[in-house]
Amino acid sequence: MRPQELLKKLALQKKLSHAYLLSGNDHAQKEELLHALLETLSVQPPDQMQINPEGEGSAPEITIAQIRSLSAFFSMSAWSSPYKTAILRDAHSMNWEAQAAFLKLLEEPKGDSIFFLLTEYPDALLSTIRSRAQEFKFFSFAPGGVSANDIAEFGKLQEADLVTRFAHAKRLA
């Protein structure tokens, strides 16, 4: 079952987790899943907060001040939606203090709150954060210029016996 279908099913059954980690390099698939789920949950903009890295230079980061404002946001009940949601884009850019403060939010979620952490580098997050979120991985691989001739040759190798495969590998080496 595709992640989008699974999450919609869980949403309709009101069995969603309080945190989701959407990892991988396919930004389009992550955004598509996120928007579809927010639509299914009927989350309106006043009940949604988006956190993006701030700062100049080559290393913008999510700061503890942003996480504190997120905590204040979740201290109030939902305005016009059944859920309050937070979307942390490039979650891997949280500095250490921000991750520690965010962990506190994850450990004690208030009411019907859902956190979405979008990142290409989930290992940059504290393991305690990763362990409290359900992870969905989205990867996309560009076709790196594979020719039709190469694909045909690969198809022949798949059907060839082991001796032929090793002979081909030896020629390539």
Side-chain angles (χ1 to χ4, degrees):
M1 181 180 289
R2 290 183 39 208
Q4 196 167 357
E5 295 164 357
L6 174 66
L7 289 175
K8 278 188 175 187
K9 183 178 178 181
L10 290 172
L12 295 172
Q13 295 173 354
K14 298 191 184 291
K15 294 183 178 180
L16 287 171
S17 175
H18 70 285
Y20 291 97
L21 177 59
L22 308 179
S23 65
N25 67 348
D26 195 329
H27 300 288
Q29 281 188 25
K30 290 187 284 190
E31 290 293 333
E32 181 182 323
L33 173 72
L34 181 62
H35 290 294
L37 188 56
L38 291 174
E39 187 177 307
T40 300
L41 296 174
S42 302
V43 176
Q44 302 300 315
D47 296 320
Q48 179 185 126
M49 186 169 189
Q50 297 193 34
I51 304 284
N52 296 304
E54 293 180 341
E56 299 295 321
S58 62
E61 63 183 14
I62 295 174
T63 64
I64 191 166
Q66 290 174 284
I67 301 302
R68 286 182 179 147
S69 68
L70 185 62
S71 181
F73 172 76
F74 277 103
S75 69
M76 297 176 272
S77 59
W79 179 259
S80 60
S81 307
Y83 294 92
K84 288 194 82 156
T85 61
I87 301 164
L88 284 83
R89 288 194 167 72
D90 294 331
H92 60 272
S93 66
M94 273 191 278
N95 62 32
W96 189 90
E97 293 86 8
Q99 288 193 48
F102 184 72
L103 183 58
K104 187 85 168 157
L105 281 174
L106 278 181
E107 289 173 338
E108 302 168 6
K110 295 182 172 134
D112 289 326
S113 57
I114 303 176
F115 300 95
F116 296 99
L117 291 89
L118 285 71
T119 181
E120 283 188 54
Y121 312 104
D123 291 336
L125 296 170
L126 294 173
S127 60
T128 48
I129 290 176
R130 290 193 322 266
S131 71
R132 285 168 174 75
Q134 290 187 7
E135 185 174 5
F136 290 93
K137 298 178 181 184
F138 300 92
F139 290 100
S140 142
F141 300 99
V146 179
S147 70
N149 188 32
D150 290 339
I151 293 171
E153 187 174 338
F154 182 72
K156 289 177 188 175
L157 279 173
Q158 284 181 312
E159 296 171 2
D161 62 4
L162 199 55
V163 173
T164 306
R165 290 181 187 182
F166 275 113
H168 181 73
K170 187 175 181 180
R171 277 193 310 271
L172 290 177

